[in-house]
Amino acid sequence: MTPAHDAGRLAVALASPADFVVADLEDTVPLRYKARAREVVAELLTKPAATSLRMLRVNSGEAALAEDIAIARTLALDALVVPKATPELLGSTDWPLPVMALVESATGLRHAYEIACHPAVVALMLGAADLGAELGLIPRRDGGELSHARSTLVVDSAAAGLRPPFDGVFRDTSDEPGLLEAAHLVRSMGMGGKICLDPVQVALINQAFTPTAAELDWARQIADAAANADAAGEAQVHESIVDQPLLVRAQTLLAQASL
């Protein structure tokens, strides 16, 4: 997630190994630089990318949103990131691209399933800062104050048939151990990725969300055991019965490793 008015930072982000880059027209852009931000994206996002997916975070105000969408139609983008998502906001606009919906309000959290079911929405994202401010949450290094919000997005995404949601940013770009710990935690909770605040965070986040050698070894054993089950259809690995949930977990890890 990179401020769109800073052409230098956006160019660096676009050259990074991130899975996707979000050029931000909203919160990270001061009001006096909104016009400049639209000029920068018009310069840098006109040709299809060879590697990372490219997205644009639009503004949520009616007039600004209309202007951002008009610009988005002229750019080479893969999706729009829609802030302060609610069912009403999503239903009031003709979206020209797939939508990554930022859930960052109490209303959005209460209606996360309806948001996830909107036909334009392909994934949910957690907007931790705005949500935390509204709810009066006290930030913790381990992010424990966001456990309910994270679990809600995981459950509602799965129920709506979406991919796992993306966690919000880790703000201290100098705290690499803290970032790695936070990324491992949210992965264990079912989140499918984490938004970077700075390209320097990409490698650690990729590391945290990549299955380890031990995990892949376990997954292969489970898959092999299931494929070679005995005549009664029963398979075991290390004295554990290989049932359907175990096999699904193994197949998910193997699929992640092949991406």
Side-chain angles (χ1 to χ4, degrees):
M1 189 83 72
T2 304
H5 67 290
D6 190 328
R9 286 182 63 183
L10 183 55
V12 169
L14 291 170
S16 77
D19 293 327
F20 61 87
V21 175
V22 180
D24 184 25
L25 296 178
E26 198 220 9
D27 278 355
T28 64
V29 179
L31 186 59
R32 65 183 183 278
Y33 292 126
K34 295 289 186 180
R36 172 57 183 162
R38 294 184 178 106
E39 292 172 359
V40 170
V41 297
E43 294 169 5
L44 297 183
L45 300 179
T46 55
K47 296 181 181 179
T51 53
S52 300
L53 299 175
R54 301 193 299 191
M55 306 180 189
L56 187 71
R57 180 161 79 160
V58 296
N59 290 278
S60 57
E62 184 176 349
L65 175 59
E67 186 172 354
D68 292 344
I69 288 179
I71 291 172
R73 293 181 187 277
T74 70
L75 304 178
L77 297 170
D78 298 286
L80 297 176
V81 176
V82 177
K84 301 173 180 64
T86 63
E88 292 74 21
L89 174 62
L90 292 169
S92 66
T93 303
D94 179 20
W95 304 102
L97 290 162
V99 166
M100 306 275 275
L102 259 172
V103 177
E104 49 186 347
S105 67
T107 298
L109 190 61
R110 286 297 299 270
H111 295 281
Y113 176 70
E114 292 95 319
I115 292 170
C117 287
H118 189 281
V121 173
V122 294
L124 301 182
M125 305 172 111
L126 178 61
D130 284 313
L131 180 64
E134 181 178 348
L135 299 181
L137 303 181
I138 299 174
R140 294 169 33 155
R141 186 171 183 266
D142 64 2
E145 79 282 2
L146 295 168
S147 294
H148 171 70
R150 286 168 171 154
S151 294
T152 296
L153 296 197
V154 169
V155 171
D156 289 344
S157 293
L162 296 186
R163 58 148 290 138
F166 292 92
D167 192 49
V169 300
F170 186 85
R171 293 191 169 276
D172 187 349
T173 58
S174 66
D175 185 2
E176 293 187 356
L179 171 61
L180 197 57
E181 179 182 352
H184 279 300
L185 171 65
V186 299
R187 181 187 175 219
S188 75
M189 297 178 69
M191 303 295 277
K194 191 167 178 63
I195 307 168
C196 297
L197 191 62
D198 189 283
V200 300
Q201 297 177 319
V202 171
L204 285 178
I205 290 176
N206 284 343
Q207 175 186 329
F209 280 89
T210 299
T212 65
E215 287 175 325
L216 292 177
D217 182 61
W218 172 86
R220 293 188 188 100
Q221 291 183 55
I222 296 295
D224 290 345
N228 298 294
D230 61 25
E234 183 173 286
Q236 288 189 340
V237 172
H238 303 311
E239 309 303 323
S240 296
I241 300 295
V242 178
D243 56 11
Q244 187 62 21
L246 213 59
L247 180 58
V248 169
R249 172 62 179 157
Q251 291 170 335
T252 298
L253 288 169
L254 294 172
Q256 289 173 344
S258 67
L259 295 178

